Amino acid sequence: MYSFERPLDLLNQAKGKEVLVQLKNEKQFVGKLLAFDIHINIVLEGTKEVVNSEVRKNLGLTFVRGDTIIFISPSSIGEVKSGKD
Amino acid sequence: MYSFERPLDLLNQAKGKEVLVQLKNEKQFVGKLLAFDIHINIVLEGTKEVVNSEVRKNLGLTFVRGDTIIFISPSSIGEVKSGKD
Amino acid sequence: MYSFERPLDLLNQAKGKEVLVQLKNEKQFVGKLLAFDIHINIVLEGTKEVVNSEVRKNLGLTFVRGDTIIFISPSSIGEVKSGKD
Amino acid sequence: MYSFERPLDLLNQAKGKEVLVQLKNEKQFVGKLLAFDIHINIVLEGTKEVVNSEVRKNLGLTFVRGDTIIFISPSSIGEVKSGKD
Amino acid sequence: MYSFERPLDLLNQAKGKEVLVQLKNEKQFVGKLLAFDIHINIVLEGTKEVVNSEVRKNLGLTFVRGDTIIFISPSSIGEVKSGKD
Amino acid sequence: MYSFERPLDLLNQAKGKEVLVQLKNEKQFVGKLLAFDIHINIVLEGTKEVVNSEVRKNLGLTFVRGDTIIFISPSSIGEVKSGKD
Amino acid sequence: MYSFERPLDLLNQAKGKEVLVQLKNEKQFVGKLLAFDIHINIVLEGTKEVVNSEVRKNLGLTFVRGDTIIFISPSSIGEVKSGKD
C-alpha cells in the first residue's frame, strides 16, 4: 500500500511518467508530466488530445492551467503497482 | 455519536479506507483514500469511475482536484457505525 | 427573537441536530450536523439524499465541500422556536 | 438621502428587519435578517422561499452561503424611507 | 479628457448619482449609487429592475453582491461630459 | 518587436487609447481605456457595445469588472506597429 | 528530455515564440508570447483568432486574462524538439 503525506506527493512521483489528464471541458490529455505547481498548473510533453481512446491532436509541449483540470492519473504507476496492495 | 472538531477530521479517519466521491460533472469515483489537503485535493488508489452502481473505468492511482468535488462519503465507516447512535 | 453575532453561530448551535442542506446541483441532503469550518465544509451523519421529500440514497457519514452548498436549515431549531418571536 | 460609508452598513441597519434575498439559482427568500459576515453569508429567521410572490416553502432559521446571493433588499427600510430624498 | 488613477475612482465620483448596473444574470438595475467597496459590492437607492428600458420591479434600497456585476455605468456623468474630449 | 516585462505593461501603454474588450457574455465593448487595476477592472470612456461590428448601445463612461473580461486589444497600437517586427 | 522546475518555466522559454492558446469559450488564439504573470495573464503579439485551423480575425497586440485560458502550447518548441526524447 502507498502512503502519501500530501496529494501533491503523487504528482511528484509521477514526474517523467505518462499521465492521463481529464479536463473540465470533457477532453482528455495524455502526456509525460514534466512539472506542476500548487495551483495544479502542469506541463506535459508529447501531449495528445484523446477522445474515446483515439488521438485527435498532437499538441507537443503544453502548459495546462490548473483550474481546468478534474483529475490526473499516472497510468503507469497505477497499472504496475495495482496488484501490490 | 461521533464528534469531529473539524470536517477534515472525517477525511483523516477515512484514510486507507474506501470512499465514494461525487464530482461536479455528475460522475462518481470509488477508491481508497490515500491523501488529502486543505483544498480537498485527494489521492485515491484503485479508483473506479462508477455510473449507476456500475464500474465504467479503472483509473488506478488518481489525483483529484478539490474544486471538482461535491462530497466524499467513507462508506465503510458509515455502514459499520450507523447503528451505534 | 434570536441574536447571532455571526452567521456561523447558527451552525454552531445546530451541531448535533438534523439539518436540511441545499446543494447547487439541485439536490438536498438531510443529516445530523457534526462539524463545519469557515469554508462551510460540513460533515453530516446519517446523510440522506432527498428528492421531493422522498429519500433516494443513504450515504451515511459524509463530508460536503462548502462551495457546493446554497443553504443549511437546522429544521428542528426552526420548527421548535418559530412560534416564539 | 442616505449616506453609507460601506455597502455592509446597509446590511447592518437591516438587522432584525425583513429582507428579500435573490439567489443565483433564480429563487428568492424572504425572512428577517439576523446576521451577516464579510462573505455575505447570512442568517434569516422565518425564511420563506418565494416564487412569483407566492410562498412555496417555509424553511425557518436558515444559513445562506454568501456566494449564492445576487442581492439583498431590506424592503421595510426601502419602502418607509423612499419618499424622503 | 478624464484621468482616473484607478477604476474605483470612477465609482467614487459616481456616488450620489444614478447608475446603470448590468448583472451577469442578464438583468439590469438602475438606481442611485450610495456605497461600494473593493469587491464592487454596492448599495443602490431607489433601485429599479429594468428590462428593455422598461421598469419591471421597484426594489428600493438594495445591496448588490459584487461578483454578480458585469459593468456599472454612471449615465449622468457619461452624458453630460461625453462632448468634452 | 515589443518587450513587456509584465502583461499589465500593455494595458499601461494603452491608457488613453481605444481598446476592444471581449466579455465572457459574448458581448464586445469599444472605448478609450482610462484606468485599470490588478484585477483587470477597467474604466472605458465613450463605451460602445458592439455586435458584429455594429454599435448597439452607447454607454459612455463605464466601469467594467475584471472577472467578466476575456481579452483587451488596444487596436490602435496593434495596427500601427504590427508592420515593425 | 526537458526538465522544468515549475510550469511557468515553459512559458518563460516560450517568450518571443509563437504559441497556441486555447480559451474556455471554445476559441483559439495564435500569436507570439510577449509576457505572462503568475495569474497566467498573457500578452500576445500578432494575435489571430483561429477556428478549425482557419484565421477568423486579426487582433494584433492582445492582453488575455489568465482565468479564461485552458492551455498554452508553444508549438515551435514542441515540434522542433519532439523527436529528441
Side-chain angles (χ1 to χ4, degrees), chain D residues 36-83:
Chain D
F36 68 91
D37 62 22
I38 56 165
H39 306 292
I40 323 301
N41 295 322
I42 60 173
V43 170
L44 296 180
E45 185 185 36
T47 312
K48 289 165 183 50
E49 189 186 307
V50 177
V51 180
N52 297 321
S53 310
E54 204 180 309
V55 176
R56 290 284 172 92
K57 279 186 213 157
N58 282 286
L59 290 164
L61 264 175
T62 302
F63 170 94
V64 184
R65 206 168 183 272
D67 78 327
T68 67
I69 293 174
I70 295 178
F71 69 77
I72 301 173
S73 191
S75 52
S76 58
I77 299 179
E79 291 171 358
V80 172
K81 301 198 170 173
S82 64

Short mmCIF file of all heavy atoms in Angstrom, two decimals, chain D residues 36-83:
data_model
loop_
_atom_site.label_atom_id
_atom_site.label_comp_id
_atom_site.label_asym_id
_atom_site.label_seq_id
_atom_site.Cartn_x
_atom_site.Cartn_y
_atom_site.Cartn_z
N PHE D 36 -24.89 38.61 9.41
CA PHE D 36 -24.17 38.52 8.14
C PHE D 36 -22.68 38.66 8.44
O PHE D 36 -22.29 39.12 9.51
CB PHE D 36 -24.62 39.63 7.17
CG PHE D 36 -24.22 41.00 7.61
CD1 PHE D 36 -23.01 41.56 7.20
CD2 PHE D 36 -25.02 41.76 8.45
CE1 PHE D 36 -22.61 42.82 7.62
CE2 PHE D 36 -24.64 43.02 8.88
CZ PHE D 36 -23.43 43.56 8.47
N ASP D 37 -21.85 38.24 7.48
CA ASP D 37 -20.40 38.46 7.63
C ASP D 37 -19.84 39.03 6.33
O ASP D 37 -20.60 39.31 5.39
CB ASP D 37 -19.68 37.17 8.06
CG ASP D 37 -19.80 36.05 7.04
OD1 ASP D 37 -20.07 36.34 5.84
OD2 ASP D 37 -19.62 34.88 7.42
N ILE D 38 -18.52 39.20 6.27
CA ILE D 38 -17.93 39.87 5.10
C ILE D 38 -18.04 39.06 3.81
O ILE D 38 -17.90 39.60 2.73
CB ILE D 38 -16.43 40.20 5.34
CG1 ILE D 38 -15.66 38.93 5.71
CG2 ILE D 38 -16.26 41.27 6.38
CD1 ILE D 38 -14.16 39.10 5.59
N HIS D 39 -18.30 37.75 3.93
CA HIS D 39 -18.53 36.94 2.73
C HIS D 39 -19.98 37.06 2.26
O HIS D 39 -20.35 36.46 1.26
CB HIS D 39 -18.22 35.48 3.01
CG HIS D 39 -16.86 35.26 3.57
ND1 HIS D 39 -15.72 35.48 2.83
CD2 HIS D 39 -16.44 34.88 4.81
CE1 HIS D 39 -14.67 35.23 3.59
NE2 HIS D 39 -15.07 34.87 4.79
N ILE D 40 -20.80 37.82 3.02
CA ILE D 40 -22.24 37.97 2.78
C ILE D 40 -22.96 36.66 3.09
O ILE D 40 -24.09 36.45 2.64
CB ILE D 40 -22.57 38.50 1.36
CG1 ILE D 40 -21.52 39.54 0.90
CG2 ILE D 40 -23.96 39.14 1.33
CD1 ILE D 40 -21.39 40.76 1.77
N ASN D 41 -22.30 35.74 3.83
CA ASN D 41 -23.08 34.66 4.45
C ASN D 41 -24.10 35.34 5.35
O ASN D 41 -23.77 36.32 6.03
CB ASN D 41 -22.17 33.78 5.32
CG ASN D 41 -21.12 33.03 4.52
OD1 ASN D 41 -21.39 32.56 3.42
ND2 ASN D 41 -19.93 32.89 5.08
N ILE D 42 -25.34 34.83 5.34
CA ILE D 42 -26.37 35.46 6.19
C ILE D 42 -27.17 34.40 6.95
O ILE D 42 -27.18 33.22 6.57
CB ILE D 42 -27.36 36.32 5.36
CG1 ILE D 42 -28.09 35.46 4.31
CG2 ILE D 42 -26.65 37.48 4.69
CD1 ILE D 42 -29.21 36.20 3.58
N VAL D 43 -27.83 34.84 8.00
CA VAL D 43 -28.83 34.01 8.67
C VAL D 43 -30.16 34.74 8.60
O VAL D 43 -30.25 35.92 8.95
CB VAL D 43 -28.46 33.73 10.14
CG1 VAL D 43 -29.63 33.07 10.87
CG2 VAL D 43 -27.24 32.83 10.22
N LEU D 44 -31.16 34.03 8.10
CA LEU D 44 -32.52 34.55 8.04
C LEU D 44 -33.40 33.78 9.02
O LEU D 44 -33.26 32.56 9.17
CB LEU D 44 -33.10 34.40 6.63
CG LEU D 44 -32.44 35.18 5.49
CD1 LEU D 44 -33.18 34.89 4.18
CD2 LEU D 44 -32.43 36.67 5.77
N GLU D 45 -34.34 34.48 9.64
CA GLU D 45 -35.32 33.85 10.53
C GLU D 45 -36.67 33.86 9.82
O GLU D 45 -37.01 34.81 9.14
CB GLU D 45 -35.40 34.65 11.83
CG GLU D 45 -36.30 34.02 12.88
CD GLU D 45 -36.44 34.93 14.09
OE1 GLU D 45 -36.47 36.16 13.90
OE2 GLU D 45 -36.52 34.41 15.21
N GLY D 46 -37.42 32.77 10.00
CA GLY D 46 -38.73 32.70 9.37
C GLY D 46 -38.63 32.72 7.85
O GLY D 46 -39.46 33.30 7.16
N THR D 47 -37.59 32.07 7.32
CA THR D 47 -37.30 32.11 5.89
C THR D 47 -38.42 31.45 5.07
O THR D 47 -38.87 30.34 5.38
CB THR D 47 -36.00 31.35 5.59
OG1 THR D 47 -34.99 31.78 6.49
CG2 THR D 47 -35.55 31.56 4.16
N LYS D 48 -38.85 32.16 4.06
CA LYS D 48 -39.84 31.63 3.12
C LYS D 48 -39.26 31.67 1.72
O LYS D 48 -38.69 32.67 1.33
CB LYS D 48 -41.11 32.48 3.16
CG LYS D 48 -41.92 32.30 4.44
CD LYS D 48 -42.95 33.40 4.59
CE LYS D 48 -43.69 33.26 5.91
NZ LYS D 48 -42.79 33.10 7.10
N GLU D 49 -39.39 30.56 1.00
CA GLU D 49 -39.00 30.55 -0.41
C GLU D 49 -40.17 31.07 -1.21
O GLU D 49 -41.29 30.56 -1.10
CB GLU D 49 -38.64 29.12 -0.84
CG GLU D 49 -38.01 29.05 -2.20
CD GLU D 49 -37.80 27.62 -2.67
OE1 GLU D 49 -37.20 26.83 -1.92
OE2 GLU D 49 -38.30 27.30 -3.77
N VAL D 50 -39.91 32.10 -2.02
CA VAL D 50 -40.99 32.78 -2.72
C VAL D 50 -40.79 32.64 -4.23
O VAL D 50 -39.69 32.86 -4.72
CB VAL D 50 -41.02 34.28 -2.34
CG1 VAL D 50 -42.10 35.01 -3.12
CG2 VAL D 50 -41.22 34.44 -0.85
N VAL D 51 -41.83 32.25 -4.93
CA VAL D 51 -41.80 32.21 -6.39
C VAL D 51 -43.00 32.99 -6.90
O VAL D 51 -44.14 32.66 -6.55
CB VAL D 51 -41.84 30.76 -6.91
CG1 VAL D 51 -41.79 30.74 -8.44
CG2 VAL D 51 -40.68 29.95 -6.34
N ASN D 52 -42.76 34.00 -7.71
CA ASN D 52 -43.84 34.86 -8.20
C ASN D 52 -44.75 35.36 -7.08
O ASN D 52 -45.98 35.21 -7.13
CB ASN D 52 -44.68 34.12 -9.25
CG ASN D 52 -43.86 33.77 -10.47
OD1 ASN D 52 -43.03 34.55 -10.92
ND2 ASN D 52 -44.09 32.58 -11.00
N SER D 53 -44.15 35.92 -6.04
CA SER D 53 -44.88 36.48 -4.89
C SER D 53 -45.71 35.45 -4.13
O SER D 53 -46.58 35.80 -3.32
CB SER D 53 -45.80 37.64 -5.32
OG SER D 53 -45.09 38.56 -6.11
N GLU D 54 -45.46 34.18 -4.36
CA GLU D 54 -46.22 33.12 -3.69
C GLU D 54 -45.25 32.30 -2.83
O GLU D 54 -44.19 31.90 -3.31
CB GLU D 54 -46.80 32.22 -4.78
CG GLU D 54 -48.02 31.44 -4.41
CD GLU D 54 -48.45 30.61 -5.60
OE1 GLU D 54 -48.59 31.17 -6.71
OE2 GLU D 54 -48.59 29.38 -5.44
N VAL D 55 -45.62 32.05 -1.58
CA VAL D 55 -44.76 31.28 -0.70
C VAL D 55 -44.82 29.80 -1.06
O VAL D 55 -45.90 29.21 -1.11
CB VAL D 55 -45.17 31.46 0.78
CG1 VAL D 55 -44.30 30.58 1.68
CG2 VAL D 55 -45.05 32.93 1.19
N ARG D 56 -43.66 29.21 -1.35
CA ARG D 56 -43.61 27.81 -1.70
C ARG D 56 -43.23 26.92 -0.51
O ARG D 56 -43.72 25.82 -0.36
CB ARG D 56 -42.57 27.58 -2.82
CG ARG D 56 -42.99 28.13 -4.16
CD ARG D 56 -44.04 27.25 -4.81
NE ARG D 56 -44.56 27.87 -6.01
CZ ARG D 56 -44.07 27.68 -7.23
NH1 ARG D 56 -43.05 26.86 -7.39
NH2 ARG D 56 -44.60 28.29 -8.26
N LYS D 57 -42.25 27.40 0.29
CA LYS D 57 -41.76 26.58 1.39
C LYS D 57 -41.44 27.45 2.58
O LYS D 57 -40.98 28.58 2.42
CB LYS D 57 -40.45 25.88 0.97
CG LYS D 57 -40.61 24.65 0.15
CD LYS D 57 -39.24 23.99 -0.04
CE LYS D 57 -39.17 23.32 -1.41
NZ LYS D 57 -37.80 23.16 -1.87
N ASN D 58 -41.66 26.89 3.78
CA ASN D 58 -41.21 27.55 5.00
C ASN D 58 -39.96 26.85 5.48
O ASN D 58 -39.99 25.66 5.78
CB ASN D 58 -42.31 27.46 6.06
CG ASN D 58 -43.41 28.47 5.80
OD1 ASN D 58 -43.22 29.66 6.02
ND2 ASN D 58 -44.53 28.00 5.30
N LEU D 59 -38.87 27.58 5.54
CA LEU D 59 -37.60 26.96 5.92
C LEU D 59 -37.17 27.34 7.33
O LEU D 59 -36.22 26.79 7.85
CB LEU D 59 -36.51 27.36 4.92
CG LEU D 59 -36.67 26.75 3.54
CD1 LEU D 59 -35.82 27.50 2.53
CD2 LEU D 59 -36.26 25.28 3.55
N GLY D 60 -37.86 28.27 7.95
CA GLY D 60 -37.47 28.69 9.30
C GLY D 60 -36.08 29.31 9.30
O GLY D 60 -35.67 29.94 8.33
N LEU D 61 -35.37 29.11 10.38
CA LEU D 61 -34.00 29.64 10.50
C LEU D 61 -33.11 29.03 9.44
O LEU D 61 -33.04 27.80 9.31
CB LEU D 61 -33.42 29.25 11.86
CG LEU D 61 -33.52 30.27 12.99
CD1 LEU D 61 -33.00 29.63 14.27
CD2 LEU D 61 -32.71 31.51 12.67
N THR D 62 -32.42 29.87 8.69
CA THR D 62 -31.62 29.34 7.59
C THR D 62 -30.32 30.11 7.43
O THR D 62 -30.31 31.34 7.46
CB THR D 62 -32.41 29.40 6.26
OG1 THR D 62 -33.62 28.65 6.41
CG2 THR D 62 -31.62 28.83 5.10
N PHE D 63 -29.24 29.34 7.25
CA PHE D 63 -27.94 29.91 6.92
C PHE D 63 -27.82 29.88 5.40
O PHE D 63 -27.96 28.81 4.78
CB PHE D 63 -26.84 29.06 7.56
CG PHE D 63 -25.45 29.39 7.09
CD1 PHE D 63 -24.65 30.27 7.81
CD2 PHE D 63 -24.92 28.82 5.94
CE1 PHE D 63 -23.36 30.58 7.39
CE2 PHE D 63 -23.64 29.12 5.51
CZ PHE D 63 -22.87 30.01 6.24
N VAL D 64 -27.55 31.05 4.78
CA VAL D 64 -27.40 31.10 3.32
C VAL D 64 -25.97 31.49 2.99
O VAL D 64 -25.45 32.49 3.50
CB VAL D 64 -28.37 32.12 2.68
CG1 VAL D 64 -28.26 32.08 1.16
CG2 VAL D 64 -29.80 31.86 3.13
N ARG D 65 -25.31 30.68 2.14
CA ARG D 65 -23.91 30.95 1.80
C ARG D 65 -23.82 32.17 0.88
O ARG D 65 -24.53 32.27 -0.12
CB ARG D 65 -23.32 29.73 1.10
CG ARG D 65 -21.82 29.62 1.26
CD ARG D 65 -21.34 28.27 0.82
NE ARG D 65 -19.92 28.14 1.03
CZ ARG D 65 -18.99 28.51 0.15
NH1 ARG D 65 -19.33 29.02 -1.00
NH2 ARG D 65 -17.70 28.36 0.43
N GLY D 66 -22.91 33.07 1.20
CA GLY D 66 -22.84 34.35 0.53
C GLY D 66 -22.64 34.28 -0.98
O GLY D 66 -23.20 35.08 -1.72
N ASP D 67 -21.88 33.31 -1.45
CA ASP D 67 -21.57 33.30 -2.88
C ASP D 67 -22.74 32.84 -3.74
O ASP D 67 -22.59 32.74 -4.96
CB ASP D 67 -20.33 32.44 -3.16
CG ASP D 67 -20.64 30.97 -3.14
OD1 ASP D 67 -21.53 30.56 -2.37
OD2 ASP D 67 -20.01 30.22 -3.90
N THR D 68 -23.89 32.57 -3.13
CA THR D 68 -25.08 32.18 -3.90
C THR D 68 -26.06 33.35 -4.02
O THR D 68 -27.11 33.20 -4.63
CB THR D 68 -25.80 31.00 -3.22
OG1 THR D 68 -26.34 31.46 -1.98
CG2 THR D 68 -24.86 29.86 -2.95
N ILE D 69 -25.68 34.49 -3.45
CA ILE D 69 -26.59 35.64 -3.35
C ILE D 69 -26.30 36.68 -4.43
O ILE D 69 -25.14 37.03 -4.66
CB ILE D 69 -26.47 36.29 -1.95
CG1 ILE D 69 -27.01 35.33 -0.89
CG2 ILE D 69 -27.20 37.63 -1.90
CD1 ILE D 69 -26.81 35.80 0.54
N ILE D 70 -27.35 37.17 -5.08
CA ILE D 70 -27.22 38.28 -6.03
C ILE D 70 -27.47 39.62 -5.32
O ILE D 70 -26.66 40.51 -5.38
CB ILE D 70 -28.18 38.13 -7.23
CG1 ILE D 70 -27.80 36.89 -8.04
CG2 ILE D 70 -28.14 39.37 -8.11
CD1 ILE D 70 -28.72 36.61 -9.21
N PHE D 71 -28.65 39.74 -4.69
CA PHE D 71 -28.89 40.99 -3.96
C PHE D 71 -29.71 40.75 -2.70
O PHE D 71 -30.37 39.70 -2.56
CB PHE D 71 -29.54 42.05 -4.86
CG PHE D 71 -30.95 41.78 -5.27
CD1 PHE D 71 -32.02 41.98 -4.40
CD2 PHE D 71 -31.23 41.36 -6.56
CE1 PHE D 71 -33.33 41.76 -4.81
CE2 PHE D 71 -32.55 41.13 -6.98
CZ PHE D 71 -33.60 41.33 -6.10
N ILE D 72 -29.63 41.71 -1.79
CA ILE D 72 -30.41 41.70 -0.55
C ILE D 72 -31.09 43.05 -0.46
O ILE D 72 -30.43 44.09 -0.45
CB ILE D 72 -29.50 41.49 0.68
CG1 ILE D 72 -28.74 40.16 0.56
CG2 ILE D 72 -30.32 41.53 1.97
CD1 ILE D 72 -27.70 39.95 1.66
N SER D 73 -32.43 43.03 -0.38
CA SER D 73 -33.17 44.28 -0.37
C SER D 73 -34.01 44.35 0.91
O SER D 73 -34.97 43.61 1.06
CB SER D 73 -34.07 44.35 -1.61
OG SER D 73 -34.60 45.63 -1.76
N PRO D 74 -33.62 45.24 1.83
CA PRO D 74 -34.37 45.37 3.07
C PRO D 74 -35.63 46.17 2.82
O PRO D 74 -35.65 47.40 2.94
CB PRO D 74 -33.40 46.12 3.99
CG PRO D 74 -32.49 46.85 3.07
CD PRO D 74 -32.47 46.13 1.76
N SER D 75 -36.67 45.44 2.44
CA SER D 75 -37.87 46.09 1.89
C SER D 75 -38.44 47.15 2.82
O SER D 75 -38.82 48.23 2.38
CB SER D 75 -38.92 45.03 1.58
OG SER D 75 -39.12 44.22 2.71
N SER D 76 -38.50 46.86 4.11
CA SER D 76 -39.13 47.83 5.00
C SER D 76 -38.39 49.17 4.97
O SER D 76 -38.99 50.22 4.84
CB SER D 76 -39.17 47.28 6.42
OG SER D 76 -37.86 46.98 6.85
N ILE D 77 -37.09 49.11 5.08
CA ILE D 77 -36.32 50.35 5.01
C ILE D 77 -36.59 51.08 3.70
O ILE D 77 -36.86 52.26 3.66
CB ILE D 77 -34.80 50.06 5.10
CG1 ILE D 77 -34.47 49.40 6.43
CG2 ILE D 77 -34.01 51.36 4.94
CD1 ILE D 77 -33.00 49.05 6.59
N GLY D 78 -36.57 50.32 2.63
CA GLY D 78 -36.76 50.93 1.32
C GLY D 78 -38.11 51.61 1.18
O GLY D 78 -38.23 52.74 0.71
N GLU D 79 -39.16 50.93 1.65
CA GLU D 79 -40.50 51.49 1.47
C GLU D 79 -40.73 52.70 2.36
O GLU D 79 -41.22 53.72 1.93
CB GLU D 79 -41.54 50.40 1.76
CG GLU D 79 -41.55 49.31 0.69
CD GLU D 79 -42.41 48.15 1.11
OE1 GLU D 79 -42.96 48.16 2.22
OE2 GLU D 79 -42.52 47.21 0.31
N VAL D 80 -40.35 52.55 3.62
CA VAL D 80 -40.61 53.63 4.55
C VAL D 80 -39.90 54.91 4.15
O VAL D 80 -40.47 55.99 4.17
CB VAL D 80 -40.17 53.23 5.99
CG1 VAL D 80 -40.25 54.42 6.93
CG2 VAL D 80 -41.05 52.10 6.48
N LYS D 81 -38.65 54.76 3.73
CA LYS D 81 -37.85 55.95 3.52
C LYS D 81 -37.73 56.42 2.07
O LYS D 81 -37.14 57.44 1.81
CB LYS D 81 -36.44 55.71 4.07
CG LYS D 81 -36.46 55.38 5.54
CD LYS D 81 -35.09 55.57 6.15
CE LYS D 81 -35.17 55.46 7.67
NZ LYS D 81 -33.85 55.48 8.28
N SER D 82 -38.32 55.68 1.14
CA SER D 82 -38.07 56.05 -0.25
C SER D 82 -38.69 57.40 -0.59
O SER D 82 -38.37 58.00 -1.60
CB SER D 82 -38.57 54.96 -1.20
OG SER D 82 -39.97 54.83 -1.08
N GLY D 83 -39.61 57.88 0.25
CA GLY D 83 -40.22 59.18 -0.03
C GLY D 83 -39.43 60.35 0.52
O GLY D 83 -39.80 61.50 0.33
#
